[in-house]
Amino acid sequence: MGAKSALPWQPLLSLLVLVLGYLYLYVPDAPKRLALGAEPAVAPAPRESGQATLKPDKWDDLFDNYLGEIPEDPPLRPTRRCYADGTCESMAQESKKRRREEDSSLSPMVTLRSGVKIPQLGLGTYQAKGSRLRRAIVHALKKGYRHIDSADLYKNGEDIARAIAESGVPRKDVFLTSKIPPWSQGRRAAARSLKKILDDLDTDYLDLCLIHWPGSHETDDDLEGQRMRRETWDVLVDAQKRGVCRAIGVSNYYRKHLDDLIATSGVIPDVNQFEMHPFLVNDDLVTYCRNKRIAVEFYGSINPDGLMDHSVVRTLAKKYGKTPAQILLRWAIQQDAIVLPKSVTNHRIEENSQIFDFELEDWDVRALSGLNRDEHFYWDPSDVV
């Protein structure tokens, strides 16, 4: 006798069990919908534009407090803009171009310890006056310079003020530096000098004010000179607190002068400006200032006799396709210095600014530093107590 045939309802029963198992496992509302007497499910109303979707209760407070209302989906933004002449450019390129136009300064910025930002490239004005200086400043500002270094000793403040006004560049966009002269050391003399500087420059504040020299021309007594220097510094500290000077510092100060100033006042200068170039390399002073977070400004970077004609400088100029002056300024920039090249010639003003598009190799920096002779071409503060 043959095997008993399967009943016809067994395959259907097996299929029903599989379907019910799937519904219970993967469709959470299935038990409710399958229960006898359950109301039929109602489809949710279509979402109107801008209407917030419902969220579980436990998330409501979080979204309300931190995200606010859920906005509509933002419209697609165009990625290209086309002009009447048929040319097109990406919106990203246009945005970058607009930012470049807004930031007309051609120099990187250095943040001083007080938080003030100073352009790393400035225009020096030593021994420059009159119409030649005014034309030079106007040209420099039009080409993107935003930092002018001056001093009461240079006697050119009125020319600088006139040039800034003629340039059309707002005063607030120009970083102005001046210096208290050696014959104005001491509390009263320094205060009078600062007022005169502000009057000559036709401004009610300085971005940076320096003490020009650690000694005083008013006395030969070393102790009296120290006392007057400290009083001058107190005037600048007070001027910074009052907003008359945004940043304060010194010029031609060696370590011994800085130690004395910091020890007696407790205030560290923002800046120390001193002579430095490959014929006068003062790495110890640079390191000291760096450790104290004192920004260094180099003057005389390109002017020492014979420096730009030196064979090492000439060879590097040829190697990098730059002028000797650009090589020497770049040497200073790579030591994190602020540079202040002085010129009243338009093409040289422009050349001196073209120092941020290349970098000297390490051995070339060392080759230039190896020219050191410890030779001053300007003021030597070594003998000032």
Side-chain angles (χ1 to χ4, degrees):
M1 187 175 177
K4 185 177 179 181
S5 61
L7 295 176
W9 49 267
Q10 287 181 334
L12 294 176
L13 182 60
S14 299
L15 179 60
L16 180 61
V17 170
L18 289 174
V19 170
L20 291 174
Y22 174 82
L23 291 174
Y24 273 82
L25 288 175
Y26 297 104
V27 182
D29 290 340
K32 183 186 296 184
R33 294 178 182 177
L34 291 175
L36 292 177
E39 296 181 2
V42 179
R47 180 184 173 188
E48 297 180 1
S49 177
Q51 179 182 351
T53 56
L54 296 177
K55 300 175 288 292
D57 292 342
K58 65 179 180 180
W59 295 108
D60 284 349
D61 290 340
L62 178 65
F63 277 83
D64 290 342
N65 292 335
Y66 292 95
L67 298 181
E69 294 184 0
I70 299 176
E72 296 182 34
D73 294 336
L76 293 177
R77 299 180 62 183
T79 58
R80 292 172 60 81
R81 186 188 299 277
C82 296
Y83 304 95
D85 61 0
T87 61
C88 297
E89 67 177 351
S90 73
M91 301 292 279
Q93 288 175 334
E94 183 189 39
S95 178
K96 289 180 181 178
K97 183 172 70 175
R98 184 168 60 251
R99 286 197 297 270
R100 286 197 300 269
E101 291 171 350
E102 292 171 353
D103 182 15
S104 55
S105 174
L106 51 76
S107 169
M109 305 296 282
V110 174
T111 302
L112 304 179
R113 60 178 297 114
S114 60
V116 173
K117 294 182 183 294
I118 179 174
Q120 196 172 9
L121 172 69
L123 180 69
T125 63
Y126 177 55
Q127 292 184 332
K129 297 180 183 179
S131 60
R132 292 190 71 197
L133 174 61
R134 293 197 299 273
R135 287 194 296 269
I137 291 175
V138 170
H139 184 75
L141 292 175
K142 287 183 177 179
K143 291 300 178 180
Y145 280 74
R146 289 297 181 269
H147 177 186
I148 299 174
D149 181 80
S150 66
D152 190 27
L153 183 148
Y154 304 164
K155 301 186 183 302
N156 55 15
E158 293 179 357
D159 291 322
I160 292 172
R162 183 174 167 185
I164 293 174
E166 291 174 0
S167 74
V169 177
R171 162 66 185 93
K172 66 181 180 62
D173 294 338
V174 180
F175 193 99
L176 265 182
T177 298
S178 193
K179 310 175 189 77
I180 304 293
W183 55 79
S184 295
Q185 297 272 26
R187 195 176 308 279
R188 292 184 179 179
R192 286 195 299 268
S193 177
L194 180 56
K195 183 180 185 306
K196 178 181 180 298
I197 289 170
L198 295 171
D199 290 342
D200 289 348
L201 289 170
D202 192 23
T203 184
D204 55 2
Y205 73 96
L206 288 174
D207 296 283
L208 174 63
C209 189
L210 310 176
I211 303 177
H212 207 152
W213 180 249
S216 171
H217 288 185
E218 300 300 313
T219 180
D220 293 327
D221 184 276
D222 291 338
L223 293 179
E224 180 65 9
Q226 281 184 331
R227 184 190 65 78
M228 296 175 74
R229 177 173 71 216
R230 294 166 185 169
E231 287 187 357
T232 303
W233 183 242
D234 289 340
V235 170
L236 294 192
V237 170
D238 184 63
Q240 186 179 34
K241 291 177 181 178
R242 295 172 182 271
V244 177
C245 302
R246 297 178 61 223
I248 56 176
V250 295
S251 181
N252 299 297
Y253 273 47
Y254 275 179
R255 177 170 180 167
K256 59 183 178 181
H257 308 122
L258 290 165
D259 281 338
D260 175 70
L261 206 65
I262 295 170
T264 55
S265 71
V267 179
I268 301 176
D270 286 301
V271 170
N272 185 18
Q273 181 185 125
F274 52 92
E275 178 186 0
M276 185 151 157
H277 42 73
F279 283 171
L280 179 63
V281 179
N282 196 337
D283 285 335
D284 290 342
L285 182 56
V286 171
T287 300
Y288 172 89
C289 289
R290 184 177 292 122
N291 290 339
K292 294 284 188 182
R293 292 182 55 220
I294 301 172
V296 294
E297 293 184 339
F298 293 174
Y299 71 79
S301 300
I302 59 179
N303 301 112
D305 294 338
L307 180 56
M308 285 203 290
D309 292 326
H310 196 283
S311 60
V312 171
V313 178
R314 290 282 179 181
T315 299
L316 293 179
K318 184 176 181 180
K319 173 182 176 179
Y320 290 95
K322 291 290 185 177
T323 67
Q326 289 169 333
I327 294 296
L328 294 170
L329 291 171
R330 185 66 210 183
W331 174 83
I333 290 293
Q334 287 185 218
Q335 297 178 71
D336 298 323
I338 298 161
V339 293
L340 309 164
K342 172 246 175 172
S343 180
V344 292
T345 307
N346 286 354
H347 78 273
R348 287 178 182 163
I349 290 172
E350 294 176 31
E351 284 180 356
N352 290 341
S353 70
Q354 296 164 3
I355 55 177
F356 299 104
D357 58 351
F358 75 107
E359 187 170 341
L360 299 175
E361 296 179 345
D362 289 343
W363 45 81
D364 293 332
V365 172
R366 290 195 293 270
L368 288 168
S369 299
L371 303 180
N372 182 38
R373 303 175 182 174
D374 290 326
E375 184 177 1
H376 280 272
F377 289 80
Y378 299 92
W379 296 355
D380 183 358
S382 302
D383 295 334
V384 179
V385 176

